[in-house]
């Protein structure tokens, strides 16, 4: 059984989650850029080396060619989207926990925490899908040298003009396939680690900063261990020209496995895992700090 602080406040989760999301983007966006470029680089011609030989080669080429700004390319979209997205994500988790409690002091099991986390993944897709689409297009644009979009807003306008709302939300099903199970793993792992890291006789709310960072970082790694294959398919699908994959993710999956093998589903693995620990450690630390502040200024919220 999992021990949680009571009572659960979805509204406090909403505000604290937004702050945690901003912390995550600032720490993790450079390696997210590397991940997307590795996942979407074109297949090399016979006898030609790939554009990037790996994570560190991509990092070096981006830094040399574009400077620090290149690593933060496309960050406006996730910053604008991530505050409400993580706010909704943590709200969904808090609501999922609340809905499964018969009494306010009920302690949820780990499967119940997993289910609450999955609900948060459904909630965030409405915001996540268009933000991911715009971010990926801007990230690969800089790598190819073409300048079709001047920024996040211009990208959104062009996508809407070309294909309407469906163009903006291209990849929604794959975003759901990635985020629903991964979010369940994310929150369940964090709650489990908080419980086992809490010294006997102490409350989880008194967990030290290093232990919060450790729990949050590992939760991020477990999250991405589940999310990487659908994330590869999503990145490829969202950045493909219109009409290339008429049957959606099934066409992407067939093409990847036929041309590059099953290992292609784990493209960007190193970049993802290097990013996952510090970014999610920052996210959960930001969330816990914000929650303590909210509990102090508005204990009845």
């Amino acid at each position: 059984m999992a021990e949680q602080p009571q009572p659960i406040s979805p509204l406090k989760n909403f505000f604290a989650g937004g702050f945690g999301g901003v912390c995550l983007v600032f720490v993790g966006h450079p390696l997210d850029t590397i991940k997307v470029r590795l996942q979407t680089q074109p297949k090399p011609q016979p006898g030609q080396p790939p554009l990037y030989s790996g994570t560190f080669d991509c990092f070096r080429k981006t830094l040399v060619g574009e400077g620090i700004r290149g690593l933060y390319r496309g960050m406006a979209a996730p910053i604008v989207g991530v505050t409400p997205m993580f706010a909704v994500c943590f709200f969904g988790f808090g609501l999922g926990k609340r809905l499964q409690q018969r009494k306010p002091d009920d302690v949820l099991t780990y499967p119940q925490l997993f289910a609450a986390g999955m609900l948060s993944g459904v909630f965030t897709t409405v915001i996540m899908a268009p933000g991911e689409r715009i971010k990926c297009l801007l990230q690969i644009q800089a790598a190819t040298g073409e300048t079709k979009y001047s920024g996040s807003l211009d990208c959104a306008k062009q996508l809407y003009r070309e294909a309407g709302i469906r163009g903006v939300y291209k990849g929604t099903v794959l975003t759901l396939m990635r985020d629903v199970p991964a979010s369940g793993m994310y929150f369940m792992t964090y709650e489990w680690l908080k419980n086992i890291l809490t010294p006997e006789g102490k409350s989880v709310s008194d967990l030290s900063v290093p232990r919060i960072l450790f729990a949050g970082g590992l939760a991020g790694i477990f999250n991405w261990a589940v999310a990487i294959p659908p994330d590869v398919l999503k990145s490829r699908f969202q950045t493909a020209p219109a009409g290339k994959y008429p049957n959606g993710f099934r066409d992407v999956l067939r093409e990847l496995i036929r041309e590059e093998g099953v290992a292609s589903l784990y493209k960007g693995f190193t970049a993802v895992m290097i990013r996952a620990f510090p970014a999610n450690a920052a996210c959960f630390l930001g969330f816990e700090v914000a929650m303590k502040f909210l509990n102090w200024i508005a204990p009845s919220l």
Side-chain angles (χ1 to χ4, degrees):
M1 299 284 281
E3 181 187 351
Q4 305 129 37
Q6 304 296 332
I8 296 165
S9 171
L11 191 57
K12 286 181 182 175
N13 274 29
F14 179 86
F15 292 113
F19 181 71
V22 172
C23 295
L24 179 143
V25 172
F26 275 110
V27 173
H29 191 80
L31 279 160
D32 186 71
T33 297
I34 302 303
K35 177 205 73 172
V36 170
R37 291 186 179 185
L38 286 170
Q39 289 176 344
T40 58
Q41 66 176 319
K43 185 182 178 183
Q45 296 297 319
Q48 296 294 318
L51 182 60
Y52 307 115
S53 62
T55 299
F56 297 104
D57 181 55
C58 183
F59 180 84
R60 181 183 59 81
K61 287 179 177 175
T62 302
L63 194 60
V64 170
E66 304 167 52
I68 291 292
R69 291 184 64 184
L71 294 170
Y72 282 92
R73 191 79 62 183
M75 194 176 75
I79 278 288
V80 170
V82 89
T83 302
M85 190 273 291
F86 267 83
V88 169
C89 177
F90 278 84
F91 172 83
F93 179 57
L95 181 62
K97 291 194 290 183
R98 173 77 70 82
L99 289 173
Q100 295 180 88
Q101 288 182 311
R102 294 182 179 180
K103 301 190 298 290
D105 59 348
D106 280 351
V107 176
L108 301 183
T109 64
Y110 291 117
Q112 287 176 312
L113 291 170
F114 187 87
M118 288 197 298
L119 180 64
S120 77
V122 175
F123 273 47
T124 57
T125 297
V126 175
I127 302 169
M128 194 69 157
E132 288 274 305
R133 170 99 154 114
I134 293 165
K135 171 181 70 71
C136 288
L137 287 171
L138 290 173
Q139 286 172 329
I140 67 160
Q141 170 181 273
T144 58
E146 299 175 3
T147 309
K148 182 178 180 181
Y149 310 111
S150 61
S152 299
L153 186 59
D154 180 56
C155 182
K157 286 179 179 177
Q158 288 196 46
L159 290 173
Y160 185 79
R161 189 162 54 243
E162 291 167 5
I165 196 68
R166 292 185 65 181
V168 178
Y169 274 88
K170 181 179 178 181
T172 298
V173 172
L174 280 163
T175 305
L176 275 170
M177 289 172 61
R178 180 192 70 178
D179 289 351
V180 170
S183 294
M185 181 63 74
Y186 187 52
F187 285 108
M188 183 189 72
T189 302
Y190 180 65
E191 295 287 343
W192 169 65
L193 286 168
K194 278 206 307 180
N195 286 330
I196 66 172
L197 290 170
T198 301
E200 192 173 350
K202 298 282 188 178
S203 167
V204 290
S205 61
D206 298 324
L207 209 60
S208 66
V209 168
R211 293 186 182 200
I212 291 170
L213 290 170
F214 181 74
L218 275 187
I221 287 175
F222 275 80
N223 168 80
W224 278 104
V226 173
I228 287 178
D231 186 63
V232 172
L233 297 176
K234 180 196 70 64
S235 294
R236 183 68 65 99
F237 182 68
Q238 286 185 319
T239 57
K244 182 176 180 181
Y245 300 116
N247 295 313
F249 74 89
R250 290 172 294 177
D251 285 350
V252 187
L253 180 62
R254 278 195 289 264
E255 180 186 89
L256 274 173
I257 292 179
R258 182 179 66 248
E259 296 184 357
E260 303 177 47
V262 175
S264 64
L265 293 173
Y266 287 88
K267 274 187 173 182
F269 180 85
T270 304
V272 168
M273 290 305 174
I274 291 173
R275 170 186 178 270
F277 192 94
N280 289 284
C283 175
F284 276 109
L285 180 62
F287 170 78
E288 296 289 357
V289 168
M291 280 294 281
K292 285 191 175 183
F293 178 72
L294 289 169
N295 286 333
W296 177 60
I297 63 167
S300 61
L301 185 64

